[in-house]
Amino acid sequence: MRIEVRHLARVEGHAHLVIDAEKGELKECRLEIVESPRFFEGILRGRHYRDVAPIVARICGVCSNSHTLVSLAATENALGIAVSDQTRRLRRLLAYGEILQSHILQIYFMAVPDYLGVASIFPLVRSERELVTRALRLKKLANDICLAVGGRPVHPVTPCVGGFSALPSPQALQDLRRRLVEALPDLEATVELFAAFPIPEFIRETEYLSLAAGDGYPLLGDTLVSSVGLCAPAAEYRTVIEEYPVPHSTARFARATRGAYMVGPLARVRNAHDRLSPMARTVAGALGLSAATANPYFNLVARLVEVVHCLEEGIHLIDLVLQDGLRPETAPSPSGPGRGAAAIEAPRGTLFHAYSYDASGCIESADCVIPTAQNLGNIEADLRGLVPTLLHLPQEEVTKRLEMLVRAYDPCISCSTHLLEVRFVGGKGGK
Amino acid sequence: MRIIGIGNPLMGDDGIGIAAVAALEKEGVPEGVDIIDGGTGGLTLLTLMEGAKRVILVDAVETGSPPGTILRLAGEDLEPETAASSLSLHSGGLPEVLALGRALGTLPPLILFGVQPHSVEVRLGLSDPVAAALPPLLALIREELKA
């Protein structure tokens, strides 16, 4: 007996473009995403501060650690709680584990097929088996960082308001360190693979926004910076970033100082190139990525450079934690009321959470801005600039280049292989 | 033996898999059984299943049956129908994940317990028919552990 099992789709969303082939312009561009903030406040209102982080961790299966960590920071800011150096280091290690998880998945499973000219990872299982098993090895290592520090491979359970409810054992961290070092050959092979990929040429300067580098490469911080001189407290993000509705999309777009702006790996590298780990800087140089790169396709290269950075820095973070010795800390029991906001560099860019708590420590109001929502306007501006430069190419190739551009941002929309629905109208429509 | 719950508790009945593993963890399971909250799964599932002798997956599954209906699938019932040509990063559907695991030869013997959802709208908590299915679902899983 055979039964068809239709699995429930976890994410809705699609992208739809209409191109006027005659005029060489983008007539219609709809990038639809699921906007978690729409239900964010509704699901949190009335919840006690202890329960907030575990709930928001479920907003995104890929970024559960980022949502958890930024949520805890926002609650700590609201209720006036300071955290220790040990907590800060372990949180950074956990966040790096998640960045590795997300980036490795994107570069190997989404980008590699594009550059090797196959429809998905499936054909590569047979033709490039070592590549696929390497990808899964790296992915497992990233999962295990999150497991050691966060208590679970996804949806962490140990991070809590004020620190950690349980600490990783020194033995677990030593094992992790050994495996991070053993993964270096896999990393070298990855860099070698990508060095051979022809990254499409396209230049469009924009505003690059990220958190400022504080005690290291941008991660958790209280200052927002941009490539055109913006410098503002992250807690005031609502005065810096304006989200506005656009007629052709259900998603709201965002603008900052000038208009559309970019968040994510390339924006971080642009703003904090000098804070990359030595190995990551070397790889960036070898792959042609600098603090002045204005090709959005290079988001992919920036992602790979961040993989190198997170792995190398992960080793140092473990050394620092072990050197100082792990000390259990007592969890604080703050009370409300209070208001606070925080921001984190999630894999796809800057993520903001803001909460207002009442006197009993329960949520009165909550707000959240996710990276993909911030990138939509910039993706569209890129597509508008890109289309006229592609018209000499066959339509199939045009579609592929546009898909690759959207994929370079790794947006949180359903990114199946046929990500874009592209329609050509007018003219003979390419060759 | 590994039991992995899949789903999103923010989406009503889509959280049945997570509720099931949370309940098992609370009640306790025999030595040698690992309980994993797999979240919304996707490709991470492959690495979560790797190296296990046997895996039980628990998830909400749309089969068109009455809400709360429990389905047990194993072996060839789980053969993906689709030539998995599309692989979505965030919602890497179970069929695609299983197809990839099979192609790689890393898939342990699998059993899937699926529960027909009533509602998968944004809300915390299960609907009545799906909440009522939780005790018999746990009993079926415990039977499976004895096998």
Side-chain angles (χ1 to χ4, degrees):
Chain A
M1 181 180 71
R2 300 191 73 82
I3 302 164
E4 190 196 349
V5 176
R6 270 198 304 124
H7 201 66
L8 294 168
R10 312 283 184 208
V11 177
E12 297 297 332
H14 62 277
H16 166 88
L17 305 177
V18 177
I19 291 168
D20 185 328
E22 207 164 345
K23 293 194 187 129
E25 62 182 33
L26 193 62
K27 278 176 72 98
E28 220 181 294
C29 175
R30 279 212 310 274
L31 302 167
E32 308 282 353
I33 57 161
V34 169
E35 289 206 275
S36 41
R38 269 201 305 234
F39 63 82
F40 189 78
E41 184 169 348
I43 216 147
L44 285 180
R45 199 175 299 120
R47 302 268 162 194
H48 190 265
Y49 72 80
R50 268 192 307 269
D51 303 328
V52 170
I55 293 172
V56 299
R58 302 279 174 182
I59 287 175
C60 172
V62 179
C63 303
S64 61
N65 286 285
S66 295
H67 276 287
T68 299
L69 294 176
V70 75
S71 171
L72 294 173
T75 296
E76 285 154 2
N77 289 342
L79 304 179
I81 297 161
V83 297
S84 67
D85 281 349
Q86 170 178 285
T87 291
R88 264 192 291 277
R89 284 171 185 163
L90 286 173
R91 284 182 179 180
R92 184 175 279 266
L93 183 59
L94 179 61
Y96 279 4
E98 177 168 277
I99 291 173
L100 285 168
Q101 277 183 325
S102 177
H103 281 7
I104 286 162
L105 204 61
Q106 200 279 335
I107 63 179
Y108 268 105
F109 288 80
M110 310 311 292
V112 163
D114 275 339
Y115 285 93
L116 293 183
V118 288
S120 78
I121 194 84
F122 279 94
L124 301 178
V125 173
R126 268 177 293 280
S127 63
E128 301 275 353
R129 196 175 178 82
E130 170 51 28
L131 180 153
V132 179
T133 49
R134 185 196 316 138
L136 289 168
R137 263 200 310 273
L138 286 167
K139 173 87 171 76
K140 178 152 189 357
L141 176 60
N143 286 355
D144 289 346
I145 297 174
C146 296
L147 174 63
V149 185
R152 280 188 188 169
V154 278
H155 299 303
V157 285
T158 58
C160 61
V161 173
F164 283 84
S165 61
L167 295 170
S169 71
Q171 187 59 49
L173 288 178
Q174 272 154 358
D175 287 349
L176 203 54
R177 186 194 193 282
R178 183 180 45 79
R179 289 180 51 214
L180 288 169
V181 173
E182 284 170 357
L184 292 176
D186 277 346
L187 209 53
E188 283 165 15
T190 307
V191 172
E192 213 163 293
L193 173 73
F194 275 76
F197 289 162
I199 308 285
E201 284 176 27
F202 174 62
I203 305 288
R204 196 185 72 83
E205 268 295 335
T206 184
E207 182 171 8
Y208 301 90
L209 185 135
S210 71
L211 287 166
D215 54 352
Y217 192 67
L219 183 71
L220 276 154
D222 48 21
T223 309
L224 266 180
V225 292
S226 89
S227 55
V228 296
L230 168 77
C231 183
E236 292 170 20
Y237 67 92
R238 279 288 173 202
T239 62
V240 175
I241 295 164
E242 185 196 1
E243 285 186 301
Y244 59 100
V246 285
H248 55 265
S249 174
T250 53
R252 288 178 305 164
F253 281 32
R255 53 185 163 225
T257 314
R258 307 189 306 189
Y261 63 96
M262 183 195 286
V263 294
L266 183 56
R268 289 189 288 254
V269 169
R270 289 270 312 214
N271 293 340
H273 182 273
D274 59 342
R275 303 304 290 274
L276 284 165
S277 71
M279 228 167 30
R281 267 203 303 275
T282 306
V283 169
L287 298 181
L289 172 69
S290 76
T293 299
N295 178 348
Y297 284 108
F298 266 76
N299 247 314
L300 174 65
V301 178
R303 203 166 284 122
L304 173 58
V305 165
E306 287 192 337
V307 166
V308 177
H309 170 88
C310 289
L311 208 134
E312 187 175 14
E313 283 297 302
I315 295 170
H316 293 309
L317 281 166
I318 292 174
D319 286 343
L320 282 171
V321 169
L322 289 174
Q323 191 182 301
D324 287 359
L326 287 152
R327 280 181 303 274
E329 298 167 337
T330 25
S333 309
S335 58
R339 297 171 70 90
I344 191 171
E345 286 296 335
R348 285 158 193 73
T350 320
L351 167 69
F352 301 94
H353 278 211
Y355 305 137
S356 169
Y357 285 104
D358 65 16
S360 58
C362 295
I363 292 270
E364 280 175 325
S365 66
D367 182 47
C368 155
V369 179
I370 57 174
T372 294
Q374 297 172 73
N375 273 331
L376 286 179
N378 209 63
I379 295 174
E380 179 168 323
D382 277 350
L383 292 170
R384 282 189 197 286
L386 183 60
V387 165
T389 70
L390 300 178
L391 291 177
H392 61 287
L393 297 168
Q395 288 186 354
E396 201 180 318
E397 182 64 21
V398 174
T399 302
K400 187 183 164 183
R401 291 282 181 95
L402 298 176
E403 276 190 4
M404 282 167 75
L405 179 87
V406 177
R407 246 200 287 283
Y409 285 85
D410 191 19
C412 262
I413 49 183
S414 297
C415 25
S416 61
T417 315
H418 302 291
L419 164 81
L420 292 182
E421 187 188 322
V422 182
R423 279 202 306 129
F424 292 86
V425 296
K428 295 195 177 64
K431 297 170 193 124
Chain B
M1 166 64 107
R2 219 168 276 172
I3 305 172
I4 306 175
I6 311 168
N8 190 345
L10 301 188
M11 303 297 288
D13 291 341
D14 193 30
I16 179 69
I18 306 297
V21 290
L24 286 167
E25 199 158 30
K26 208 167 146 184
E27 295 168 9
V29 286
E31 189 82 15
V33 177
D34 286 333
I35 304 269
I36 297 180
D37 177 333
T40 47
L43 279 172
T44 300
L45 273 182
L46 272 190
T47 31
L48 293 182
M49 292 191 286
E50 204 182 314
K53 280 205 178 67
R54 275 200 307 156
V55 168
I56 294 176
L57 295 172
V58 194
D59 195 0
V61 172
E62 179 61 54
T63 55
S65 30
T69 306
I70 302 170
L71 183 77
R72 179 188 180 279
L73 294 173
E76 63 180 39
D77 293 333
L78 275 170
E79 291 290 342
E81 296 280 325
T82 47
S85 62
S86 72
L87 195 57
S88 158
L89 173 60
H90 304 280
S91 55
L94 200 52
E96 287 92 342
V97 171
L98 297 185
L100 191 58
R102 223 169 243 115
L104 283 161
T106 58
L107 224 49
L110 275 183
I111 297 157
L112 169 71
F113 283 103
V115 180
Q116 170 69 42
H118 167 62
S119 147
V120 282
E121 298 297 307
V122 174
R123 69 171 217 151
L124 282 167
L126 303 170
S127 68
D128 291 346
V130 171
L134 192 56
L137 173 68
L138 296 179
L140 284 168
I141 294 171
R142 291 198 180 280
E143 277 304 303
E144 206 70 58
L145 292 180
K146 290 177 197 159

